[in-house]
Structures are given as C-alpha cells and as structure tokens.
Amino acid sequence: SQAAPAVARAIVQLGGTVHQNCAARGIETEGGRLCGVLTESGTIRTKAAVLAGGAWASSFCRQFGFRFPQASIRSSILSVSPGAGGLPDALHTAKISATRRGDGGYTLAISGRGRVDVTPQQLRFASQFVPMFLKRWRSLAPGGLQGVRSGHETLQRWRLDRPTPMERMRILDP
C-alpha cells in the first residue's frame, strides 16, 4: 500500500519524526494533554502523536481510558509477486478479493471465510459489531484462542517499564 509511506512523508514534511521498529508502551500527559510517548527505547517528548497500532490499537487506547472500538477477524490471504497482469487494482467477488500493492504485486484473500475469536475485547464491543456480524453470518465462523494468545485482544493493563504484548508479537501472525 502507498498509504503508510505517504503518511510518513507528510509527518516528516510537517516537522515530525517517524519511529519504526520501536514499540510504544504508553503516553504521558500534562494538564490533560499529551506531552510524551513512552517507548521501549525511552520517552519521546511531543505534543502530538499518530497511533499506528493496527490490531493492538484498541488495547493500547484502553490503557489510558480511551474507547477505541475494534473487531478483529482472521482470514487467509496470500501474496503474489509483481508481474501478474490483467487484474484491476481492486477486485471483490463472492469467492475472492484481490488488491494491488505498492510494489505491483497483489494480496489475494478468500471471500467469506472470516473467523471471529470470542475474546473479552470482542464481548466488550459486541453491541457495536454484532449487527454487522449478523448481516454477514454466512461469511463468518467461530475462531479459536489466537486472539487471546497473541495479546492484541487483551483487556489487561500492562506496566510501562516492561515489554508489552506488542513487543512480544511485533508482527501479528495468528
């Protein structure tokens, strides 16, 4: 995708910095406003930050009293190297979805095969997501314990001076 590099470039052009491969553990506030981001490498003093936590975003926000409804659904996908021709940039059918990546390759997914792990976080936001799940019930199946095992669905609080669930599993591969 071209979105992440474009956002990073815009942040730098606006005078910000981008920190990759450096897990954020928490935030510091002063007078109700952000004044720093605590990372595994130390504190970054700032008045503004972009949350790019992916599947961990909701759990991260909960640590600090912010409500960020998020539902995780697992599905099988595969990556096709650049060179495939004749496909549009995006395609969705009842059987398959294909999306062109920034490198010219494609990400392919099997449509209608999503798995929903029943986790405390899924239950927490159930009132917001159950109506959508009911509309798509034919495309969903009960999942397993992957959401609990990987830590991205946790409701537990973590200490800021120790590794977080994001550091234990940096790339979500349930």
Side-chain angles (χ1 to χ4, degrees):
S1 168
Q2 299 291 332
V7 170
R9 282 191 302 275
I11 289 170
V12 171
Q13 287 173 352
L14 292 170
T17 59
V18 176
H19 303 264
Q20 296 181 346
N21 304 310
C22 180
R25 291 181 174 170
I27 60 171
E28 289 184 350
T29 59
E30 194 172 274
R33 296 186 179 270
L34 179 71
C35 66
V37 176
L38 288 90
T39 76
E40 63 186 316
S41 299
T43 301
I44 300 168
R45 296 282 163 217
T46 185
K47 293 181 181 179
V50 175
L51 174 61
W56 290 272
S58 186
S59 294
F60 184 89
C61 287
R62 186 176 180 284
Q63 303 299 308
F64 309 100
F66 304 125
R67 186 173 170 81
F68 186 81
Q70 183 175 19
S72 298
I73 298 175
R74 288 181 293 111
S75 182
S76 294
I77 64 170
L78 65 102
S79 180
V80 178
S81 298
L87 289 173
D89 288 343
L91 171 72
H92 178 74
T93 71
K95 301 224 181 241
I96 193 166
S97 295
T99 308
R100 184 187 303 268
R101 295 189 315 271
D103 67 0
Y106 284 87
T107 298
L108 302 177
I110 299 170
S111 297
R113 300 289 182 181
R115 293 198 166 278
V116 179
D117 297 340
V118 179
T119 64
Q121 182 164 279
Q122 289 283 20
L123 296 174
R124 178 180 183 221
F125 296 125
S127 64
Q128 291 171 276
F129 293 108
V130 165
M132 178 194 59
F133 291 164
L134 291 175
K135 286 181 186 176
R136 298 179 179 183
W137 68 271
R138 288 185 181 106
S139 301
L140 300 173
L145 297 174
Q146 290 87 340
V148 173
R149 287 183 187 137
S150 62
H152 70 282
E153 293 278 338
T154 187
L155 292 180
Q156 295 179 349
R157 302 223 184 261
W158 54 71
R159 292 181 49 155
L160 302 179
D161 62 345
R162 295 206 177 134
T164 64
M166 291 86 66
E167 291 167 78
R168 287 190 288 278
M169 184 179 285
R170 291 182 184 268
I171 298 174
L172 183 59
D173 186 6

